[in-house]
């Protein structure tokens, strides 16, 4: 049994560029922009069968038509839902998603080239794919996935940023990273256009009998530390209350970005 909730909020920005796919429901930034800028958007979902897919896509700030790029990501992932039901195992499901991630990237690059108002658009994309007891996280950009076992919160994904690359190379410490101007610059994202390059997501496999996977845009993790998120999950055992509390904390910060958090309870 899987139960999921998603909260999304425009923050203190003029435009909402987060789009998401909640296992059968697609929520688009265009709809969110028409709704109250005070209240967060809230949706719930239950498992649809053996195969379930959840995704968060964040349009890249500072780029034209970021919400269009993230909308393409969410729509195309949603369109795979029926075909994904025929996947026999998690490896086949990941292959289906990777193949289509490359196609989605080509579509975004093509629209960016063809339409002047969309030039340079891009988006992040983080996906939870569930096939029976097996899960996979696919990630491109700096939206994140975490696993919460009821006690410990573990970051699953690595950000595709220059800051993370400096950490991996040992050039900067975490403390030094805070003063590194390019720490948030993405080096891989949906809309990445280099001749001959086929974009693929980082893949992380999980076997989850019981626990929670959290997907979120960087509007959450830029405002809350992992420690703060963990404490909310420890205190608020109901995922509705936990999601609401995380969102409330994220969007009250000064200069709060668009923020989306999706909590997926598996086997509870």
């Amino acid at each position: 049994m899987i139960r999921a909730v998603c909260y999304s909020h425009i923050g203190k920005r003029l435009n909402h560029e987060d789009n998401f796919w909640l296992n059968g429901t697609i929520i688009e930034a265009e709809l969110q922009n028409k709704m109250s800028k005070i209240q967060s958007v809230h949706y719930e979902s239950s498992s649809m069968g053996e195969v379930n897919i959840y995704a968060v896509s964040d349009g890249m700030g500072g780029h034209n038509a970021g919400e269009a790029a993230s909308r393409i990501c969410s729509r195309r992932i949603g369109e795979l839902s029926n075909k994904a039901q025929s996947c026999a195992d998690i490896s086949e499901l990941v292959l289906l998603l990777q193949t289509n991630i490359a196609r989605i990237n080509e579509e975004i690059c093509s629209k960016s080239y063809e339409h002047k108002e969309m030039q340079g658009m891009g988006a992040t994309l983080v996906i939870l794919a569930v096939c029976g007891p097996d899960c996979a996280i696919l990630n491109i950009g700096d939206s994140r996935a975490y696993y919460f076992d009821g006690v410990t919160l573990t970051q699953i994904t690595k950000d595709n940023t220059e800051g993370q690359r400096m950490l991996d190379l040992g050039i900067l410490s975490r403390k030094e990273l805070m003063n590194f101007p390019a720490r948030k610059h993405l080096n891989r994202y949906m809309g990445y256009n280099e001749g001959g390059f086929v974009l693929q997501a980082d893949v992380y496999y999980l076997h989850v009998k019981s626990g929670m996977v959290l997907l979120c845009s960087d509007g959450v993790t830029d405002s809350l530390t992992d420690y703060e998120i963990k404490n909310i999950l420890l205190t608020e055992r109901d995922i509705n209350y936990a999601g609401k509390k995380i969102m409330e904390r994220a969007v009250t910060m000064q200069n709060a970005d668009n923020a989306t958090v999706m909590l997926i309870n598996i086997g509870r």
Side-chain angles (χ1 to χ4, degrees), residues 56-77:
V56 172
S57 184
D58 178 6
M60 290 167 58
H63 285 230
N64 296 329
E67 70 273 19
S70 61
R71 181 168 59 244
I72 291 169
C73 290
S74 298
R75 283 183 177 178
R76 299 298 175 258
I77 294 300

Side-chain angles (χ1 to χ4, degrees), residues 125-165:
L125 178 62
V126 61
I127 301 170
L128 168 64
V130 182
C131 187
D134 297 311
C135 304
I137 302 292
L138 293 87
N139 182 63
I140 298 173
D142 62 354
S143 290
R144 289 182 182 175
Y146 292 83
Y147 174 65
F148 181 63
D149 63 5
V151 178
T152 303
L153 181 70
T154 304
Q155 183 179 333
I156 301 170
T157 55
K158 271 191 174 184
D159 296 343
N160 298 143
T161 59
E162 283 303 296
Q164 184 63 54
R165 191 171 73 89

Side-chain angles (χ1 to χ4, degrees), residues 3 6 8 30 36 44 48-49 53 65 82 106 141 144 152 184 195 201 205-206 213-216 228 234 244 257 259:
R3 178 174 171 240
C6 186
S8 189
E30 183 177 359
S36 171
E44 296 187 40
M48 298 177 65
I53 301 173
N82 289 335
E106 290 175 0
R144 289 182 182 175
T152 303
K184 290 285 291 178
Y205 290 95
L206 299 168
V213 175
L214 183 152
L215 306 180
C216 63
E228 290 172 318
L234 286 170
K244 185 177 181 181
D257 196 358

